[in-house]
Structure formats: structure tokens, C-alpha cells
Amino acid sequence: MTNVKMAVWLGCILYCGLLYGQQEFTVSGYVQEASSSEKLFGVTLVFNGSMGTTTNEYGFYSITLPADNYGLEISYLGFQTIRQEISLQGNQKINFELVEETNELDEVVVKSNRVAKAITSTEMSVATLKTETIKKIPAILGEPDLVKSIQLLPGVSSVNEAASGFNVRGGSADQNLVLLDEATLYNSSHLFGFYSVFNSDAIKDVKLYKGGIPSVYGGRLSSVLDVKQREGNAKEFNGLASVGLISAKALVEGPLGKGEAKEGKGSYMIAGRRSYADAFTFLSSEFKDVSAYFYDLNLKANYELNENNKLYLSGYFGRDKFGIKGLVNTFWGNGSGTLRWTSVLSDKVFLQASGIYSNYSYNLDNLRSGAEFRWKSVINNYNFKPRLSWFINGNNTVKVGTDFTYYNFKPGQISPLEGSSVVPQTFQDNFAFETGTYVDYQQKVSDKLSLQYGLRWSTFNRLGKAEVNQYETGNPLTYDPELDNYIVNPVVGTTAYTSGETIKSYNAFEPRFSMRYLLTDNSSVKASYNRMNQYLHLISNTTSATPLDVWAPSGTYLKPQSLDQYALGYFKTFKEGAYDLSLEGYYKNIRDVTDFKNGADLLFTESVETEFVQGNGRAYGLELQVNKNEGKLTGWLSYTLARSESKVLGINNNQYYPTNSDQLHELNLVGIYKLNNRWDFGANFIFGSGRPVTYPTGRYSQNGLVLADYSDRNGNRLPAYHRLDISATLNPKSGKNGKWTFGLVNVYARQNASSIYFSEVSEVNDQEVATGQTQATKLSIFGFPLPSISYEFKF
Amino acid sequence: MKTHFNILFVISVLMLISCEVDVTNDLTIETTAPKLIIEGGLERNLKNPLGGQRIRLTATTNFLDNNGQTPLVEDAVVTVSDGITSYEFTYAGNGFYENTELTPEVNGEYTLEIVWNEEAYQAVETLNEVPLFDAIYSVFEEETLVTDEGYFAKFDSTDPAGIANFYYHRIARNGEFIVVPDPGNSDVLVISDEFFDGQQRVGVNPNDEIIFEIGDEAIVQQLGISEAYYDYLYEVFVQSSAGGFSFVGNPPPESIRGNVKNLTNSANRPLGFFYAADVEEATLIITE
């Protein structure tokens, strides 16, 4: 038996040696869009129908194959497929340009293997959306929105229409890693979550990882939303401007260092967006004292130093303002800048390195007379992210790198305004250093089996200078089962740490694995596992809307959260890719998930460790998506069946309770219909079973006011949610540049319950009084059909 | 300083595009078995000494029950001890239990004991001294977004330096103490000296919802309370003004925990708070 084994091994080695003996060459280069020279990410290149590769984020590909003649097929969603013969008799550099599929309907539809990618890729639980699709989906007040659009995909939702952020597979909004050109954004919302910070005109593509997250990403538990800005047109100057009900936008782009050449050495893109000075307040004169608006700026430029070296610069700056005269004023937003260098070190080795600065700041002015003050909270972080990709051969690709992040949190500075007697105060800065070192290996084992596996080693060090409170029992909080409440333990002293000294150090290994097995030419099964660690925690004291997003780092008392996710999926295409289907199941187990103790007070609190409690969570579900990819009518149907629960000492009698994002059924139907060359129609229908709500289980009074007693957290359910939205786009005649978009959100005026709440009737004939009478009130955010119109033109 | 601006944010934005419907009659909500409610405490008032100390005991009902009948607890045994003497509180009707012998002292530690339905309840509270008013006066103010136009009773008071102080403001108009469910209550009716330790506060409006006319009599009170009672009242004012508005409630609405324990059966947790407070009081006739 041993001899037989030996013989097989020897045979293998000999065979491999023979393969190796045959001459191999590398073909590499870039794939770009023909009209603008914009580099394309994720383009599939297939040689002789079996061996293949895809372009990376910079449009670069490299594959090493035995010397031979190959039939090469290059395909990308929305672009015409290129078919070409290649005779590989030496190392070659070939750049390709892809042409967008035209709008001409009568033209013979080129069947491509673009859908096949969903079958053959090892990636699962991944969603991509293109800006063109986002712009065709009906939008609230006609402002196309990335985050609202991804919520139409299975497993992605939000707590309600005005909730900030989004929830992925039952996770909370702060568990999403939101990257804009590699820079972390800490708040993805404008105007209390009605809109996201992403200006759809400036975005090239977006990829959402819900599971099977590769080892190159880390730092958040639930998902990665990787958003890339457009690079700009390297061939000619272009402009785009649009006016809608809520905002006006403009974008310009053009070549850099073009001279007399056909294409510039680089390109730039600048986009700006500004909501009208007082968004919403035009609706009612009662709100003359309220001001609410936002703006943002996007910038990207790239320049080719030489054939192998390129520089990229990207920036984002956005701000929101909300104020009520004489009461409160707030001003908050993200800013980021990324400088990147990419270098083709050899045909097979690609280097990228990014230096990133990102900043999130939040100002709150209390304007109540006698106590006017400003509270300011800032996060600064500095990243350096080098990565090496080695395209070993057609079957093996390896990526290695490290992400370094240095954080400086300034949790609170309080300064008096207008000469009030408030004493200025500054909370101490928090410093931390995080690293994530990873290796990611993509391996094609056989024609049927492909693997992607990797390991990420993350470390997180809280650094001085700081003084850390020491509590009497060693812990900030003690649970008192008799009062069913947490008692804050007395501070018995502080430990002082000098600048740069380690206060608390965490590290963890995060294995990642995914595999794909082809069942037939048009179906596959996939499985994945990923472990994630999250070292930052969001302190936000409402499920919604609040700009009070203050992040706290893990440290002496606050532990990092960690998660294991297992997923299994089945993928199939029908009718040569005209339809495709995906079915996935997942299970997530979360440790040290953070929640707030009863009556937590989060604002202006320096020692946040006395407000948090940590426990366990679990989430599981099934997701189904069916896409129709061809014909006049395209779109998708998605259905999610899911549960998300937490168990935390001191909450819900120490039993599992549904999280705010728990929703059993969710169904989305999205259709885009192309009537002719001028008219596009879009519609989406959303159905969701009732979200959790907590109804009171008793009534009593204290100090002249009626109060409610509650028992089970999130123990009741709101009525089911459903809504239909429609839109129509009138495209310009050939030679003309103006485009009209019309929309109607909530067509049949469904008064969906965003909340049902219980209160004492406190107003009689416009006078505030304590009546002692109680009532239940249903709040609907869009209780009526909401029309919109917008106009966009190119120049 | 505790604030609750976020509710204002959301509510004011939402009011513009949202709609609200009264669904009181469309809902059936469950009720747990009646729980004991403790309302009241000890007050040391040197300006206007009280005739006696009173504590009220009632029980919970269904939240949407509006028949006006508060279930009274009439058969409990109530005592308060100062560590030396135990004072019995006798039933005086309408749920109130009274004692006329107990004289609360600054820094006194008081233990409340209740026996009801064969279960024993206990709470402990310390009385904190309150600073006096430096001045009290009336002021006319124009309408703002959160207050109406009219005369307000205001005071100046100096916070003692180096001590953590917690204040609770009460106000009476023509002899009647008034409070309304208002989002501002949690900022106005209770306050900690975290941001003004040792400073004089000038022009403090004890309740900016209460407007006076010329000739009205105002009784203004500033109570020195414990940190635990401050935390409790803060939650009371937040909940009563937001009404468990779970749209903005993260975490979701919770039963407010008081300081009274059920020693016999901790799962049958009582509601309410037993407090001890020092009261500074002044009376003012509103003038121009």
C-alpha cells in the first residue's frame, strides 16, 4: 500500500515537473473603459474557456500560462465582450478597452459569460451595484442613494426610513466597515439617515461583503461596504449637473497632462452636492427657526508616473447642519484624504500602498439661555496600507499586507458660548494603534474546486497619555439582581500612563475561508467561514437618526466584539445567463456585543465604561435572490428569512431578546423597464414583517406624571410594512443633453408604522397640561405619496 | 449635564413629513400582575415646615386604562428608621401613609420598610443639604420655539464648591404645584453641578413651561437630592415626555428602576422611589 502511495506521489511530482518544464509566460496589463479610460475593477478574462483571472481595484490583471495559442474572452457587466486570439510565446503586456453596451435595443444581444462569474467566483454573500442601476431605482425626493438602494438586496435593511446607516444580516449599523477609496467613514448618513453621504454621480462602483469577507478587510463585524469614486475622464473634459427637489449637484472631469496625445497621463474628477439651505423647512412656516442642510465634495485625481507607476489622490469632505434657533445647533461630518501609489514590480507582482487621513467631527451647541455652551467631539485617524499581490500562475494568487491605523479620539471639549457661566472642560484624549496583518491565498484546485483562504492577525493597543479610573471591585459596574439594575462602583484611584505607554493590548487571529465547487456548467455550491474582531464601539443613544455618533475604543474595561460567521450557498444560472438565482444560509455567533445599561447617559460622559454592558448575540437566516439580466425588463426579486437576537445580563430578565434590526420576512421586488430609447421606468415593492417594538405592561404615576412599566424588551411587533415606489426617466434625444427623472414614493399612500408609542395626553387646546389620560400613537414617516422631479444635463 | 436634544432633532424633522394617528382603540396591550408603587419621601423644609411626612402606595394598571381609578394600597405596614428610632407611618386615606414625629436632618440616613401582601420591601436614602437662593424675581420674556411669551419666576443661587450637588426644581402657581410632560423637563427640572461646580447660577428658570400673569403668586423650590434620585428623575422626565417613543429610543423603552427592593421575592420588583431631600423655598408675587 505504501508503495502504491509512493508511486502516486512520484507520478504527481514528475507530472508537475513536466508541467513546470514546459515554458510559461505571463500576460499582464490594464483593462479600461473606452470612452473615458476609467480603469475597470472585476473584469473577467478567460483563456480557452477554463483558466481565468479578474482585474484588481486598479484595473490590473496578470496571469501566467504555458506557451500556447489561446482564445481570450474579456467580459464585464454592461460592456461588450471582447473575444481575441492570443499567441503566448513570450511575456506580454496587453491593455484592453471595453465599450459600453449601447442602448440600441434592436441590436443583437451579445451573450456574455458575465453572469457566470457569480457561479465561478469563490466569493459569496457579495453584492455589487452600479451607479446606473441606482439612478434608475425610485428614490426619496428624487435623490438617488446608494445606501437606500443596497437595502433592496437580501440581508440588508434599515430599522426605518429615517434610520441612519444600514443593517447587514441582523448586525447593527456600527458593525459595517464603510470605505470610500480605502478611507474609513464613521457616519454614512446625511439628514438623519434620509440620505447617505455618497453622491451617486461621483461613485464608480460599490461592493458589499455580507459574509465570506476576505482577510484583506478587518475591523468591523458584519460587513464591508467598499465604495470607489470615479477617476475621471482621461480623454476629454466633461461636466454633469443636476437639480432636484432636495439638492443641486455638479461634477467636472477631464484629462491631466494630455497635451496633443489622445489620452492624458492622468485624469481628475471633482463633484459637489449641496442640499437647499433649509431642506424640509420650506414645507411649513412653523419651522422658520429650524435650519437643516448638508453638502459634500468629492475629489479624485490620478497620474501615471511611468508605465509601471501611478499615483492616485482622493478626497471627501461632507458636513451636515441642523439647528433650532435659541435651542440647539449641530454641525457634523466626515473628511478624508487618500494618497495611493501603485507599482507593477514585475509582470506578476503588483504593489499598492496608501496613506490615508480621515476625520470625523461633531459639534453640538446648547443655545438655551443661561447655559450656552459648545460640545465638540473629534476622531482623527491615520492609516498606512501597503499590499503586495503576487499572481503566481493561472491557478494561484497570493496577497499579503498590513493595515496600520493610529487613532486620536477627542471625546469631548466643552466651551462656554455667549459669555455663559459654563466651566470649560476637556475630556482626556484617547489614543490607540491598530494593525491587521494578512495573507490571502486564491487557489484553483481543479476545474471544479476553487478555494480562497487566509488569515488576518489583528492587534489593538490603547496608548497613553491617559489616566484610567480604578474601580472598587475592579469593574466599573456591578449587577444587582434585587434591583435588576447596574450599580456604578466607586472610583478608588486612577492609574496614570505616560505618552505612548500601552494601557491595554488585544490581539486575535482571524481565519477566513471560502470555497466554490462547480456542480455543472451553470451551477455551483459555495461555503465560507469568517471570524472578525471589532475594536471600536459606537455610542449612539437612539436607534435612529442621531448625529450623536461618538465612537469609543476598546480599553481597560470595554472589550472588543468578535464574531464567527458560517455561510453556505447554491448558485445557478438559467437560459444562458438570462436569469440567475442564489440561495444562501448563514449563522453568526457574536461575543461581547455592546448594549447600554438601563438609563444609560451617553452624552457628555467621560467614563463611558459605566454606561455599557456586553453580552452575546446570534443571527441566522436564509436569503434568496433571483435576477433577470436581459430583455426590456430587468430587475430582481429578493427574499430574506432571518432572526437576530442578543442576550445581555440585566436586560430582558437575562433572556435572549430580538435586536432592533430583527425582521423575520423581507421581500423586495425591483423592476427596470426600458420602453424605448427615451423612456426608462423603474418600480420597487417592499414588504417586511413587523419590526420589534416594546409595549408597556403597566401604568403608574410619579411626581404628577404618568409613567409606563415595561417587561420584555422588543417583545411586541409593529404591523407589517409594505410600500410601492415608481419612477420614470426621460433620456435625451440623440445630440441633446438633458435628462428628466420623475418619481413617486409610497404610491398607494400606505401609512406604515415606523413606531407605535405610548404617552400621556399632554396637550389640550394648544395648552400643555398633564391630563392623566394615556394614548397610543402610530408614527408614519411617509404617510402620503411623495412625488419628485429632477433634471440632469451633461456639458 | 444631561440633555436630550436628540429627541427634539428627530421630532422636529419628522413632524415636517410624517403623520401621526391615534391608535389607542385599535390596540390591546397586556398587563402584568399589579406591582407596588412607592411615591414620596422625606422633605426637610426650614422655610415652610411641613405638617408631616407622607408616602403614597398604589399599584399598576393597564397602560391604556383611562377610567381614572388608581388602585390604592391601603393595608400595608410602613416604617421609616433613622438608625436610632423607627417611625411608623399610619394610613391617612387615598393611598397616603403619614407620620408627624419624624424630623429629617441633613446627612441623615433613612431606611424605608414596607410589608404588603406578605412581601417585605426596603429602601435606603441619604438627605443632602441644599444651598439657599441669592435672589428671586420675575422676568418677562418673548416667545421662543420652545417657550411661550409671558412672565417667569427666576432665581439666582450659588453652588457650593468641591461637592457634587444635584438639584430638583419645583414651582407652584397660586398654591398649586404644576408639572407638564415636556421634553425640556429632563434638562430644566433636574440638573447636576457637573459643569458649574462652585459657580453662581444667575437667572435660573425652574420650569420654563410655567407662565405667570401679573399678580400671580409663585412658590419656587430648589431641592437638594441624591445622585440616585437625580438619575431616577432624569429617566422619569425623559420617559414621560418621550412616552416610550421607541423610534428615538435606543435602547428600547425600559421600566425605570428605583431604589426599593423586594426582599421576599426580587422578581416582583416594585416601582417608584423613596427619596430624602432638603428644600429651599421662596414665595414671590409676580410684578412688572
Side-chain angles (χ1 to χ4, degrees), chain A residues 162-230:
Chain A
S164 86
F166 55 99
N167 304 92
V168 177
R169 291 185 167 173
S172 60
D174 69 325
Q175 292 171 352
N176 305 315
L177 179 64
V178 180
L179 297 173
L180 183 69
D181 280 339
E182 293 192 78
T184 304
L185 297 186
Y186 289 89
N187 184 336
S188 61
S189 298
H190 275 317
L191 267 183
F192 313 98
F194 283 107
Y195 300 104
S196 73
V197 297
F198 304 106
N199 177 347
S200 53
D201 290 342
I203 300 303
K204 180 156 100 177
D205 54 48
V206 53
K207 193 165 183 178
L208 176 75
Y209 296 85
K210 299 180 288 184
I213 299 172
S215 63
V216 300
Y217 297 107
R220 299 286 188 278
L221 296 187
S222 287
S223 77
V224 179
L225 182 70
D226 195 357
V227 182
K228 295 205 164 57
Q229 299 189 115
R230 282 172 58 180

Side-chain angles (χ1 to χ4, degrees), chain B residues 49-71:
Chain B
L50 303 171
Q53 302 293 333
R54 303 212 303 176
I55 293 165
R56 191 176 193 216
L57 302 181
T58 54
T60 51
T61 52
N62 186 295
F63 188 82
L64 292 178
D65 198 346
N66 280 319
N67 64 12
Q69 303 288 315
T70 305

Side-chain angles (χ1 to χ4, degrees), chain A residues 506 533-535 537 554-555 558-562 591-592 614:
Chain A
Y506 293 99
N533 276 273
Q534 178 165 342
Y535 298 100
H537 312 267
S554 296
L558 197 54
K559 287 180 282 184
Q561 311 175 47
S562 69
R591 291 165 297 275
D592 296 314
Q614 295 187 291

Side-chain angles (χ1 to χ4, degrees), chain A residues 358-498:
Chain A
S358 108
N359 164 287
Y360 175 72
S361 86
Y362 175 67
N363 281 347
L364 172 76
D365 295 348
N366 179 3
L367 303 176
R368 276 176 189 273
S369 75
E372 296 94 339
F373 67 91
R374 164 166 296 175
W375 180 65
K376 188 176 181 187
S377 171
V378 177
I379 308 172
N380 287 311
N381 72 262
Y382 308 85
N383 300 74
F384 178 58
K385 296 182 175 179
R387 180 192 299 173
L388 213 53
S389 305
W390 181 21
F391 303 89
I392 302 170
N393 55 37
N395 295 332
N396 296 278
T397 304
V398 62
K399 288 177 192 165
V400 292
T402 304
D403 297 343
F404 301 93
T405 310
Y406 181 77
Y407 299 96
N408 178 3
F409 298 83
K410 294 176 180 295
Q413 283 169 283
I414 290 159
S415 47
L417 291 174
E418 295 168 38
S420 77
S421 67
V422 168
V423 185
Q425 188 176 344
T426 304
F427 295 162
Q428 65 183 3
D429 283 14
N430 294 319
F431 303 95
F433 186 63
E434 182 175 349
T435 68
T437 304
Y438 56 85
V439 54
D440 174 74
Y441 203 97
Q442 276 173 276
Q443 185 184 13
K444 188 175 167 187
V445 178
S446 70
D447 282 348
K448 290 198 178 293
L449 181 67
S450 280
L451 304 176
Q452 180 172 3
Y453 46 92
L455 188 66
R456 188 178 176 96
W457 181 55
S458 60
T459 71
F460 188 83
N461 288 290
R462 272 294 289 280
L463 303 171
K465 182 183 183 185
E467 288 191 355
V468 176
N469 284 342
Q470 300 299 321
Y471 293 90
E472 197 172 72
T473 61
N475 288 312
L477 295 171
T478 300
Y479 176 67
D480 179 339
E482 281 184 319
L483 291 174
D484 189 24
N485 204 2
Y486 281 91
I487 309 298
V488 179
N489 291 316
V491 175
V492 291
T494 58
T495 311
Y497 295 89
T498 56

Side-chain angles (χ1 to χ4, degrees), chain A residues 160 324 484 709 757-758 768, chain B residues 20 145 209 243 247 255 257:
Chain A
N160 60 47
I324 302 173
D484 189 24
D709 183 35
Y757 63 96
F758 297 82
E768 262 190 311
Chain B
E20 289 180 324
L145 199 69
E209 296 301 317
F247 178 78
S255 176
R257 268 60 166 179

Side-chain angles (χ1 to χ4, degrees), chain A residues 160 162-163 192 194 279-281 283-284 286-287 289-290 322 324-325 327-328 330 362 364-366 368-371 373 414 421-423 425 427 480-485 540-548 595-599 601 603-604 650-652 660 693-711 713-714 751 754-762 767-770 772-784, chain B residues 1-10 12-24 27-32 35 37-40 56 58-66 68 141 144-146 148 154 168 170 179-185 187-188 194-197 199-203 208-209 229 232-237 239-263 266 269 271-273 275:
Chain A
N160 60 47
F192 313 98
F194 283 107
F280 296 125
T281 55
L283 288 169
S284 163
E286 257 183 63
F287 288 84
D289 289 337
V290 177
F322 181 81
I324 302 173
K325 218 171 171 179
L327 183 65
V328 65
T330 59
Y362 175 67
L364 172 76
D365 295 348
N366 179 3
R368 276 176 189 273
S369 75
F373 67 91
I414 290 159
S421 67
V422 168
V423 185
Q425 188 176 344
F427 295 162
D480 179 339
E482 281 184 319
L483 291 174
D484 189 24
N485 204 2
S540 160
N541 54 351
T542 93
T543 32
S544 159
T546 166
L548 302 176
D595 211 318
F596 308 112
K597 69 168 192 188
N598 284 324
D601 173 24
L603 194 55
F604 313 127
I651 297 176
N652 199 46
N660 289 337
V693 62
T694 311
Y695 289 166
T697 52
R699 165 192 173 148
Y700 63 107
S701 71
Q702 291 276 291
N703 302 49
L705 297 166
V706 175
L707 296 175
D709 183 35
Y710 296 93
S711 299
R713 175 177 286 197
N714 285 340
Q751 294 195 340
S754 295
S755 178
I756 290 180
Y757 63 96
F758 297 82
S759 58
E760 181 177 359
V761 178
S762 61
Q767 291 291 309
E768 262 190 311
V769 284
Q773 297 289 302
T774 50
Q775 66 180 357
T777 309
K778 179 178 83 172
L779 174 82
S780 307
I781 293 180
F782 303 122
F784 48 88
Chain B
M1 181 180 297
K2 302 204 181 197
T3 48
H4 217 77
F5 292 128
N6 46 331
I7 282 184
L8 284 169
F9 279 146
V10 180
S12 31
V13 169
L14 287 180
M15 281 198 303
L16 300 166
I17 55 163
S18 63
C19 66
E20 289 180 324
V21 181
D22 185 341
V23 291
T24 311
L27 282 180
T28 313
I29 59 171
E30 290 171 15
T31 312
T32 53
K35 291 181 180 176
I37 313 297
I38 295 94
E39 197 181 1
R56 191 176 193 216
T58 54
T60 51
T61 52
N62 186 295
F63 188 82
L64 292 178
D65 198 346
N66 280 319
E141 281 183 359
T144 71
L145 199 69
V146 288
D148 291 334
K154 293 192 168 190
Y168 171 32
R170 289 197 299 215
V179 61
V180 296
D182 181 80
N185 285 352
D187 297 330
V188 176
E194 189 180 355
F195 297 108
F196 55 80
D197 182 49
Q199 307 288 308
Q200 186 189 36
R201 291 190 297 150
V202 176
D208 58 12
E209 296 301 317
Y229 191 45
Y232 176 81
L233 285 179
Y234 181 81
E235 288 187 57
V236 165
F237 295 135
Q239 196 201 78
S240 58
S241 61
F245 189 31
S246 75
F247 178 78
V248 291
N250 186 25
E254 275 280 352
S255 176
I256 301 171
R257 268 60 166 179
N259 65 342
V260 188
K261 293 180 181 185
N262 183 331
L263 301 177
S266 64
R269 186 170 47 78
L271 298 164
F273 203 99
Y275 67 87

Side-chain angles (χ1 to χ4, degrees), chain A residues 548-589:
Chain A
L548 302 176
D549 286 350
V550 183
W551 292 79
S554 296
T556 312
Y557 301 110
L558 197 54
K559 287 180 282 184
Q561 311 175 47
S562 69
L563 163 143
D564 289 304
Q565 182 179 194
Y566 310 84
L568 191 66
Y570 174 73
F571 299 78
K572 186 168 172 61
T573 59
F574 302 91
K575 296 196 175 170
E576 296 178 319
Y579 297 87
D580 69 274
L581 172 152
S582 67
L583 178 68
E584 294 193 32
Y586 65 89
Y587 180 83
K588 304 206 282 196
N589 183 23

